[in-house]
Amino acid sequence: MYPARFRYEAPRSLDEALALLAEHGDEAKVLAGGQSLIPMVKLRFASPELLVDINNVPGLGYHREAASGVLEIGALCRHVDLEFSDVLGDLRPTMAAAAPLIADPIVRNRGTLVGSLCHADPQGDWASVMLALDGEVVAVSAAGRRVIPVTEFVTGPFQNALRPGELAVEARVPVPRGVPLGRYLKLERRVGDFATVGVAVAVETSDGTVTRAGIALTGVGANNIKAVDAERVLVGSTLDRATIAESARLAAEAAKPRTDHRGSEAYKRHVVRTFVERALHPRPAVAA
Amino acid sequence: MFKRQVTITVNGEARAVELEPRVLLAHLLREGLGLTGTHIGCDTTSCGACTVLVDGSAVKSCTMLAVQADGHEVRTVEGLTRASELHPVQEGFQEEHGLQCGFCTPGMMMSALALLERNPEPTEEEVRWALSGNLCRCTGYQNIVKAVLWAAAKLRPAGTGGVR
Ligand SMILES: Cc1cc2nc3c(=O)[nH]c(=O)nc-3n(C[C@H](O)[C@H](O)[C@H](O)COP(=O)(O)OP(=O)(O)OC[C@H]3O[C@@H](n4cnc5c(N)ncnc54)[C@H](O)[C@@H]3O)c2cc1C
Ligand code: FES
Ligand code: FES
């Protein structure tokens, strides 16, 4: 299907992009990887008047560790860059695990992490990863810049906290403060399908004791869910079996799944519980 | 409305066209340039039949605006054949019976080509992974995987493997 008519601009600098967004406000939409926006305009679920294509803006394709240790992900860093990253390494295991599970390889060649956060699809995987890691989004406009925690950035299904005229220029992940342990587990019916259930776990330990814990859930609510109670019980523990079981139980309780073509409510809850346990017991237990 | 002038290199040839921004790359290729080897199999960016290479990377041409290809290099299945000789990827599909109805085949071949250019010696697992965004309703995939491995062997310089 053809999209409805729209105007198209492909600015060659960030300033030019921000000027266009300032001028056109609500009528303009940013075009990044296009892997959510173009399907929507094709099906005419969205009919923006102006598309501001940022693909010609130089210097946004990066993901890098800043001197401070913070991981910075530019607005044009594609899923594929993270899948084959040599930056994520052992320090960012949750992200490294999620990247190859987003969509399919062809979609990963174009789609971006930042675009995925902006799109705020409740089935999106990156928002859970970023919730588990306490990530942030840097928004810029002609008027200035502000940093928004991902917990506040996603405000509802397909809704984000950006104001008219703002562009998300970067996502950030804080420095791990211990030994990171993390996984992203995703149950999908086939490659390219959205998650039936996804679970992001990001834990940091110091001398075997958990210093920070992040757990977030995909596909089991109107938005990605940060399972704060499940996180809390892990902090201070040594990841013993009883604590893991309790955390998994609390995560399943935090889930608000709905029965649909991907599975029943009870099934999805069960998968959440199983995935949290599995993520925190990276190896099958060996009888002592 | 606001038509734009763009120049896209398609299969090695610079093509200057005037088009509306809402024209998808798949539409430009098929209707504007008559390159109907690129198929459109769905409306939801799911099937991969429309896969082409843009600057060497596999892209669903139904999910990219043609204007976005301005100044870039696009390769389609028509660009595989040189001087009426089949490309090894095409030969592989012939030799290993990698197609039935053929609808998915152009997209499969372009995904396969992108893989082999990046990784000339893929394992079977890597082939399956690379093709996992391309759907086939006929073959059950086994022979498609064999076809790509056949092409990989053929493309390797003599003495480093060769056809099984
Ligand atoms: C077949 C298929 C399967 C998929 N499967 C999955 C999956 O399993 N898991 C998953 O998480 N995702 C999946 N996706 C979605 C994919 O990850 C998209 O790439 C992602 O949701 C959007 O990123 P994008 O760069 O393509 O954004 P676009 O499509 O360009 O934009 C999406 C929205 O965000 C806005 N936007 C984008 N970038 C910015 C910015 N920098 N500043 C302000 N606004 C911005 C746009 O205006 C638009 O509203 C799938 C997509 C397809 C087509
Ligand atoms: S036509 Fe199906 S993915 Fe492009
Ligand atoms: S051969 Fe018919 S769809 Fe693949």
Side-chain angles (χ1 to χ4, degrees):
Chain A
M1 229 168 105
Y2 274 94
R5 289 200 162 87
F6 52 77
R7 275 183 55 213
Y8 171 85
E9 295 289 348
R12 299 207 162 260
S13 72
L14 189 58
D15 285 345
E16 219 184 300
L18 295 178
L20 282 162
L21 292 177
E23 187 186 342
H24 295 278
D26 259 351
E27 292 157 19
K29 272 218 163 277
V30 173
L31 176 63
Q35 301 303 292
S36 293
L37 185 54
I38 295 180
M40 300 238 302
V41 297
K42 266 168 67 175
L43 296 170
R44 303 202 179 191
F45 291 154
S47 323
E49 279 175 45
L50 171 69
L51 288 191
V52 179
D53 181 355
I54 59 171
N55 284 280
N56 293 333
V57 174
L60 294 180
Y62 61 88
H63 71 288
R64 61 190 175 211
E65 200 146 290
S68 60
V70 170
L71 181 71
E72 302 171 338
I73 303 140
L76 288 178
C77 173
R78 320 263 174 193
H79 306 314
V80 68
D81 302 327
L82 298 166
E83 179 179 2
F84 295 103
S85 166
D86 45 22
V87 176
L88 298 183
D90 295 338
L91 269 185
R92 317 283 180 180
T94 315
M95 292 186 68
L101 300 178
I102 310 290
D104 66 49
I106 321 174
V107 169
R108 289 199 293 276
N109 282 341
R110 302 267 320 152
T112 65
L113 179 146
V114 172
S116 180
L117 297 178
C118 292
H119 189 53
D121 186 330
Q123 305 283 130
D125 297 297
W126 282 125
S128 288
V129 172
M130 288 293 143
L131 283 173
L133 288 166
D134 291 323
E136 299 168 331
V137 175
V138 181
V140 291
S141 70
R145 71 198 270 132
R146 60 189 179 116
V147 179
I148 310 164
V150 173
T151 44
E152 290 162 33
F153 185 76
V154 177
T155 52
F158 304 101
Q159 284 178 326
N160 64 47
L162 292 176
R163 300 179 187 133
E166 273 184 332
L167 179 129
V169 74
E170 183 179 286
R172 287 188 182 169
V173 184
V175 197
R177 273 193 227 105
V179 182
L181 166 77
R183 294 184 81 184
Y184 188 72
L185 296 174
K186 177 176 177 180
L187 178 68
E188 56 182 4
R189 296 175 304 170
R190 55 175 167 73
V191 169
D193 193 19
F194 283 91
T196 301
V197 174
V199 171
V201 172
V203 165
E204 286 145 32
T205 62
S206 188
D207 295 329
T209 301
V210 175
T211 49
R212 204 198 72 86
I215 298 180
L217 317 175
T218 312
V220 289
N223 269 115
N224 306 70
I225 294 171
K226 189 167 168 68
V228 285
D229 293 332
E231 295 174 340
R232 202 172 294 127
V233 292
L234 293 176
V235 177
S237 82
T238 54
L239 290 180
D240 54 285
R241 280 188 170 274
T243 307
I244 291 174
E246 177 61 1
S247 174
R249 189 189 66 78
L250 290 167
E253 212 171 89
K256 298 183 194 69
R258 287 203 349 218
T259 297
D260 62 13
H261 58 289
R262 290 193 175 88
S264 70
E265 190 211 310
Y267 171 64
K268 292 180 189 179
R269 236 182 249 286
H270 182 74
V271 174
V272 168
R273 187 171 181 155
T274 306
F275 274 3
V276 172
E277 294 211 350
R278 206 175 278 175
L280 290 169
H281 288 301
R283 284 167 295 278
V286 183
Chain B
M1 209 152 123
F2 311 100
K3 287 212 172 183
R4 292 174 77 99
Q5 185 74 39
V6 300
T7 305
I8 305 171
T9 303
V10 181
N11 299 327
E13 202 185 315
R15 312 286 297 254
V17 282
E18 202 187 41
L19 41 74
E20 277 191 63
R22 64 173 172 157
V23 174
L24 304 170
L25 181 57
H27 291 144
L28 171 69
L29 293 170
R30 290 179 55 82
E31 290 154 30
L33 304 178
L35 296 170
T36 53
T38 298
H39 293 166
I40 297 179
C42 72
D43 255 338
T44 50
T45 313
S46 310
C47 74
C50 63
T51 304
V52 301
L53 304 196
V54 178
D55 299 336
S57 115
V59 164
K60 293 181 181 177
S61 63
C62 72
T63 309
M64 178 168 171
L65 305 175
V67 287
Q68 293 189 281
D70 189 17
H72 294 274
E73 191 221 347
V74 176
R75 282 187 286 163
T76 71
V77 70
E78 286 89 347
L80 285 177
T81 317
R82 250 167 251 108
S84 78
E85 233 185 69
L86 291 182
H87 186 279
V89 169
Q90 293 171 307
E91 267 187 276
F93 275 72
Q94 187 178 50
E95 289 297 321
E96 296 287 355
H97 202 71
L99 64 147
Q100 289 178 25
C101 79
F103 197 85
C104 69
T105 313
M108 288 286 180
M109 287 181 172
M110 298 317 282
S111 279
L113 185 67
L115 167 71
L116 296 178
E117 287 184 352
R118 194 178 68 235
N119 175 4
E121 291 188 47
T123 62
E124 181 180 329
E125 189 52 34
E126 286 167 334
V127 172
R128 288 181 187 277
W129 187 254
L131 298 182
S132 59
N134 295 81
L135 303 185
C136 175
R137 300 299 298 271
C138 303
T139 63
Y141 302 99
Q142 305 300 336
N143 288 353
I144 296 178
V145 174
K146 284 188 202 159
V148 177
L149 289 169
W150 191 99
K154 171 94 188 239
L155 282 164
R156 276 200 282 279
T160 62
V163 182
R164 294 165 298 143

